[in-house]
Amino acid sequence: MLQQMSDAVARYGHGEVSRAIRGVQAQLRQQLDHGRPALVADEVFSQRVEAELQARHQPTLRSVFNLTGTVLHTNLGRALLPAEAVAAMVAVATAPSTLEFDLAQGKRGERDKHVEALICELSGTEAATVVNNNAAAIFLVLNTLALGREVPTSRGELVEIGGSFRVPEIMARAGCHLVEVGTTNRTHLKDYAGAIGEHTALLMKVHTSNYRVEGFTHSVDEKALATLAHERRLPFVVDMGSGSLVDFAALGLPAEPTVAATVAQGADVITFSGDKLLGGPQCGIVAGRRELIERIRKNPLKRVLRLDKLNLAALAEVLKLYRNPATLKERLPTLRLLTRPLADIEAQARRVQPAIAAALGARFRLTVVPCHSLIGSGALPVETLPSAALEIAPLSGDDGELRSLAAALRGLPLPIIGRLSSGRLLLDCRCLESEGDFLVQWIALPEALT
Ligand SMILES: *Cc1c(COP(=O)(O)O)cnc(C)c1O
């Protein structure tokens, strides 16, 4: 035992090991207080100390299997990065870099320069800057261009994105005055025209990304709004939300307006997320007319909201992948997962089925069923992608048993997150890429279930 303890001290430090030993001793004492024998062999004692130490050092931010069927799952970290982006992050994380250093001049440089030309090239804009996320991008744009002034916005676009991001609240915090125009279901060009006055700062359109109003509806398209804004000498700002850089329809996916198309409609400034359909790191991209982007960049809050070097390095690599559209689908994980052929997903589900059935034992019924994946992160809320899932149902029909199973799967070394739906646990295989690691997890399941 001494040898094991001194190994543990070398790895975790004295304080940690003595805390763990005291913890195990306390558990044993409690056992004695409850009249249960608490004599343990040295071997068992040191194993329990080791387990205690490992538990304390397990990161809370861990990898999981996302089998929820939502590809860009905000709670599970949204887009996965391609290898090129990860390598670039490691490089700038472990050595000094040219983050704000101009090698040619030997002087201070500008951090936006690492991505600005790429963004402009891919979006057809004159200038661009990047911040922490799209929420920050919208905030910075409004705070720069509309501080103390009015922003007419359609009642149909006063969206809540999730958490505490609500357009009216962001506008208030950015210091501008929201002027609601139109109604929930219908807003016309004349509503905007009537709302423009001497205090108007800009016209804004917010992509209603996470819901759709159907039936008797009307909204004003980008082109008409841009024309109106320009007639009144106002900038036209579009919050695109997801903002795709490629034509989704051409990839066989539900159509989503591209950034370049929205710019071509006359948007002067657009904002979108880096970790949604773009498939990059968390960030918010602001692109548009040079003079407006310059003003946005000079806002002191830009420093508060700026992007860190790791994400900047990753973003540059992800954007470079877009220069070769032919290989994009394989190299960018988000697009790879979204375009995964149904036959492929189905074959995989059938391939892993026997091993999982064996691990589940006789209490559960396991079938491969068709299902629908969602893109997620508010992108294309109504359209779904045909997929295949492992459907698990307890033979007893007992919901408690199903919930215990879901909890046991979350407790595996690499937790498996599925979707509970009317008495069944669905494991959508669309995002299952490391099949070997996945199968290994199930070996530990029977023990976790008892
Ligand atoms: C997702 C989204 C946001 C927020 O973007 P984050 O990158 O999560 O900050 C804002 N507006 C719209 C329309 C969105 O879809």
Side-chain angles (χ1 to χ4, degrees):
M1 179 155 95
L2 261 178
Q3 183 56 47
Q4 279 140 329
M5 288 301 125
S6 60
D7 288 351
V9 168
R11 192 139 39 100
Y12 298 103
H14 228 123
E16 276 295 285
V17 175
S18 52
R19 249 190 302 275
I21 291 174
R22 270 186 250 116
V24 174
Q25 284 172 335
Q27 289 163 18
L28 292 173
R29 257 183 240 114
Q30 224 179 8
Q31 223 165 304
L32 273 178
D33 289 347
H34 286 81
R36 273 170 292 160
L39 270 178
V40 292
D42 278 7
E43 188 63 23
V44 177
F45 187 85
S46 48
Q47 275 170 9
R48 283 181 63 170
V49 169
E50 181 63 33
E52 184 86 6
L53 285 165
Q54 277 179 14
R56 276 176 63 86
H57 286 258
Q58 164 101 279
T60 56
L61 182 53
R62 298 160 61 192
S63 304
V64 300
F65 284 100
N66 171 15
L67 305 189
T68 61
T70 300
V71 178
L72 294 167
H73 199 300
T74 297
N75 303 145
L76 302 181
R78 291 193 185 160
L80 311 180
L81 294 176
E84 294 85 344
V86 176
M89 290 173 102
V90 171
V92 296
T94 52
S97 64
T98 55
L99 179 62
E100 290 182 2
F101 188 75
D102 184 330
L103 279 178
Q105 308 290 326
K107 286 194 309 208
R108 187 173 196 278
E110 168 62 59
R111 71 169 65 201
D112 280 347
K113 285 287 172 277
H114 303 293
V115 290
E116 184 173 22
L118 277 160
I119 296 168
C120 293
E121 175 187 317
L122 296 164
S123 64
T125 49
E126 292 173 0
T129 182
V130 282
V131 286
N132 179 63
N133 58 9
N134 188 33
I138 298 162
F139 180 86
L140 190 63
V141 168
L142 290 171
N143 181 265
T144 309
L145 304 180
L147 185 63
R149 294 167 69 203
E150 293 175 353
V151 179
T153 310
S154 167
R155 287 198 167 89
E157 296 173 7
L158 298 177
V159 299
E160 175 179 306
I161 302 298
S164 50
F165 184 88
R166 288 172 160 187
V167 169
E169 284 162 26
I170 288 288
M171 284 196 175
R173 294 285 176 142
C176 53
H177 308 297
L178 167 66
V179 177
E180 298 184 23
V181 302
T183 61
T184 305
N185 56 331
R186 288 173 74 84
T187 300
H188 303 275
L189 191 62
K190 62 175 192 286
D191 297 324
Y192 285 98
I196 297 175
E198 56 170 326
H199 301 299
T200 306
L202 51 86
L203 290 188
M204 175 150 177
K205 190 162 177 73
V206 181
H207 191 58
T208 54
S209 51
N210 52 5
Y211 71 100
R212 190 157 305 166
V213 181
E214 296 203 6
F216 187 54
T217 64
H218 188 265
S219 65
V220 183
D221 65 30
E222 276 86 358
K223 195 169 189 128
L225 262 185
T227 306
L228 175 64
H230 298 157
E231 275 168 16
R232 307 293 183 94
R233 300 184 163 280
L234 297 171
F236 176 46
V237 175
V238 181
D239 167 23
M240 295 201 62
S242 241
S244 164
L245 291 178
V246 285
D247 181 3
F248 264 50
L251 292 170
L253 291 167
E256 165 84 7
T258 64
V259 170
T262 305
V263 170
Q265 298 288 307
D268 299 297
V269 174
I270 48 164
T271 73
F272 54 101
S273 295
D275 55 354
K276 292 185 179 174
L277 290 179
L278 183 74
Q282 177 188 308
C283 65
I285 298 174
V286 187
R289 278 180 29 217
R290 185 178 313 282
E291 173 257 330
L292 297 172
I293 299 297
E294 277 309 326
R295 280 171 60 196
I296 290 163
R297 200 179 271 138
K298 288 200 185 100
N299 186 329
L301 288 174
K302 166 74 193 329
R303 172 64 185 256
V304 177
L305 304 169
R306 75 182 181 187
L307 191 60
D308 72 291
K309 63 181 179 180
L310 301 186
N311 285 318
L312 199 55
L315 179 63
E317 293 308 311
V318 168
L319 291 172
K320 271 189 237 162
L321 292 184
Y322 279 88
R323 283 180 166 166
N324 186 355
T327 60
L328 194 57
K329 237 164 69 167
E330 287 94 68
R331 293 167 79 189
L332 197 62
T334 298
L335 286 185
R336 183 169 70 229
L337 295 173
L338 288 174
T339 59
R340 212 177 146 200
L342 174 60
D344 219 47
I345 306 171
E346 231 167 44
Q348 183 181 43
R350 294 201 191 286
R351 200 162 53 234
V352 299
Q353 185 181 14
I356 293 172
L360 283 169
R363 280 151 59 205
F364 296 93
R365 183 175 45 79
L366 174 67
T367 31
V368 172
V369 297
C371 70
H372 295 278
S373 315
L374 286 169
I375 293 174
S377 283
L380 303 155
V382 189
E383 289 88 352
T384 56
L385 308 168
S387 186
L390 297 156
E391 182 193 79
I392 306 171
L395 288 181
S396 63
D398 176 6
D399 236 31
E401 208 172 349
L402 195 64
R403 279 197 301 275
S404 308
L405 173 66
L409 291 177
R410 291 197 304 272
L412 292 172
L414 260 173
I416 296 169
I417 319 288
R419 181 169 86 231
L420 284 169
S421 154
S422 41
R424 308 154 310 153
L425 177 65
L426 286 175
L427 305 178
D428 185 330
C429 292
R430 172 174 295 279
C431 298
L432 179 52
E433 288 205 301
S434 335
E435 195 176 308
D437 289 342
F438 175 71
L439 285 173
V440 168
Q441 302 310 309
W442 293 84
I443 297 170
L445 182 72
E447 199 185 329
L449 264 180
T450 47

